[in-house]
Amino acid sequence: MFQPSLRRAVIALAVTAATLVALPSPASTFDLPPLDRIVNYQPKLPLQVFTADGVEIAQFGTERREYLPLSRTPKLLQQAVLAVEDARFREHSGVDPKGMARALVAAITGGRKQGASTITQQLVRTMLLTREFSAERKVKEIWLALKLEDEISKDRILEIYLNEIFLGQRAYGFAAASQIYFGKPLDKLSLAETAMLAGLPQNPYYANPVANLERATQRQRVVLERMRATEVINDKQLAAARAEKLVIRPPGLRSVHAAHVAEMARAVVVERFGTEAYSSGLRVTTSLRAADQRAAHAAVQRGVLAFDRRGPWRGPEDLETLPAGGGAELERAAAEALKDHRDDETLRVGIVLAASPKALQVQLASGERVSVQGEGLRWAQRGLDPKAKAPLKIARGAVVRVVSTGKTKDRKSDVWAISQWPEAEAALVAMDPRTGRVRALVGGFDFARQPFNHVTQGWRQPGSALKPLLYSAALEARVMPATLVDDLPFRAANGWSPGNSNGEYAGPITLRQALARSSNLASVRVLQHTGTQPAREWTGRFGLDTARQPDDLTLALGTGSVTPLQMAQAYATLANGGWRVAPVVVEKITDAQGKLLFEAPPPAALTEDNRSVPARNAFVVGSLLNEVTRTGTAARAQAALKRPDIYGKTGTTNDAVDAWFAGYQPTLAAAVWMGYDKPRSLGGGESGGRLALPIWIDFMGSALKGTPVAAPPAAPEGLVREGDEWLYAEWREGGWVSEISDAHGVQYKTNIGHEIGKAFSSFGAWLRGESRP
């Protein structure tokens, strides 16, 4: 009985012979599909999303493809593919009888299995026929291949093949496969990497380097041998390629992490153009800057992991059974066990091969083996105790997460520490206050685990981060930075009695001091004077939803609801001097040919006609916020960034359920939030200054590199200096609120000399009969 491979070779050779002898017969006997799909080839191109500076952040569509003309396809890749798939491609007319005969001889003699189909036949089969093997299908394949070579050129056939063929991991075409498996374009690949890709068409599902690196490597060796046999490479190149250790890109790894923005862009495009957008090659350019987005993502991850590390070790993710002993069998078993556990660029997944209280030997999903010891084990020490409870125990077969914390002294390898997926979430958004263009947006710690976009959808209490907007409203109610406000116990008529977060009282303090110290009690009294309804309405000037803000004194503590995007927009209004600018994420959409389909309108000119907040108001609030980052609850900001042009405010809600920092440098406004999806306390002693502010500083330290320190802004018209403080000019002679206290009520500043002068003037007029006193 023939083996299946021999039987197929015999049938193929017989069919080919019969077909070539009686050319008219098959065309008239079988119903052949038209060649239009190939001749008029229109590739299915995915929806692509890019940063403003051209870095791809996502593709959407069933097929990942990047169309590359043959003229731009590296010659080495073309030679590698032809060497292993169809060495006589330039000589035959679509069908290669010699190749089929060679495959038949190899099958009969037990030699290395060889393919009998030409690239033209493979293309026809892929695009026009089924993969089921039968004599009828083979006849159709041969005839269509012969006809196709009469219709289009060899170069065109090869170009379509190199862009259409499936290569595993949803990659169609070699350009897409190069990015997916190696994270770089085709022209940057080494010989060894090129050979790896060229070997994929034979078995893309099970012999790609992500699914099975061992099988993919075996196939790579075959490609290299064929390249040597066809004299594409020499012995030295062959040996070097065999010796090269390939680094396979982990699935899902991207140079810029912006999945929440990509999803925002996808939703906009599909709403406008329907589901055809997934295959028509539309390109979306966002407002993100790649460097800023990288910095934002890294800052959020570092901040959340630092907070999580202050909590307890919660135990391994899973426990797998590994074979006894070591060697290649253990390596394969470990790799197989990790297949169902998603790897992450930061939180690397690994399986414990050996465990002791002093060290862990861990095999990563990439196959690399690392050691975790010393300080890197301290956090999880409870799990290494011989008496550790099962949920916490770290033993051979435990699936854990590890993070790189730096390099060894010789800089040759990473230092590793045990870690875990955090339970808390965080979000960051940064925008240009002059244009509204969003430069960075991180909607959560990890999109794959939690796709909810906390930046745009996360309605949370802002806490004290709202106070600057309320103080802005108070300025219009004659409360000035020098106004004295009681920082003393308070009880409302309904019995509500708030307190300060530190439980202390400072007595009468200025408005400036109140904001710098984030005094709740002073803020309640300021709001009581301003009026809850006017203050509530005033927040709308900054872009907040007034309907979501309470109409009572709890507004002073930020008990309403806002999103991080709204907070960034609000602080951007202060940063630009009083104009509310609309946030923009999607800049433009083009089709596959580059035709412009949509473009966001240019930023509106900042004129007095569209001003939201008076210039002097924004200036004075800015001076208060600068004090916060210089001497107040966020003094760490100016100290860490080593620049005075930093403005902002911390925010912590009741029981530290939400932690905030919102602030700006004149060219960039940003807001950071941290909390749990199911609201609960972040813990005793936690605050916006301890949780959100470090993330903001981390991000701004990178985003502001190369940005000159801004000169102090010039005071707008309508302001004067009264001692060391700013004052609205029309109240210089009196009329502004000098004191808000329980003992004296609301006191207004008066100028005694001015009042006496007015009295004498009035009395003189009466004597002259001009008016009544």
Side-chain angles (χ1 to χ4, degrees), residues 179-198:
Q179 291 289 351
I180 288 170
Y181 294 119
F182 298 114
K184 50 189 172 182
L186 283 173
D187 59 2
K188 301 297 182 183
L189 296 183
S190 67
L191 170 59
E193 292 167 334
T194 298
M196 177 71 78
L197 292 188

Side-chain angles (χ1 to χ4, degrees), residues 706-717:
T707 302
V709 172
E717 289 184 8

Side-chain angles (χ1 to χ4, degrees), residues 685-726:
E686 299 295 357
S687 65
R690 194 177 185 205
L691 296 173
L693 177 58
I695 296 174
W696 192 90
I697 291 172
D698 189 354
F699 165 70
M700 293 294 270
S702 174
L704 293 178
K705 277 182 180 174
T707 302
V709 172
E717 289 184 8
L719 283 176
V720 294
R721 293 290 283 181
E722 183 82 5
D724 294 331
E725 275 299 0
W726 293 105

Side-chain angles (χ1 to χ4, degrees), residues 35 37-41 89 120 123 145-161:
L35 293 170
R37 190 177 169 210
I38 301 178
V39 173
N40 304 311
Y41 179 60
F89 175 71
T120 312
L123 184 60
L146 293 169
K147 286 168 64 67
L148 183 61
E149 295 238 357
D150 287 338
E151 293 278 344
I152 59 177
S153 69
K154 287 279 189 182
D155 281 353
R156 183 60 175 159
I157 290 170
L158 182 59
E159 179 177 303
I160 296 173
Y161 176 88

Side-chain angles (χ1 to χ4, degrees), residues 39 214 270 334 589 603-604:
V39 173
E214 186 177 355
V270 173
I589 304 171

Side-chain angles (χ1 to χ4, degrees), residues 10 23 101 111 178 248 271 282 352 489 523 539 547 605 629 692 714 716 766:
V10 171
L23 285 178
S178 180
I248 306 303
E271 183 180 359
L282 297 187
V352 176
S523 296
T539 64
T629 62
W766 175 71

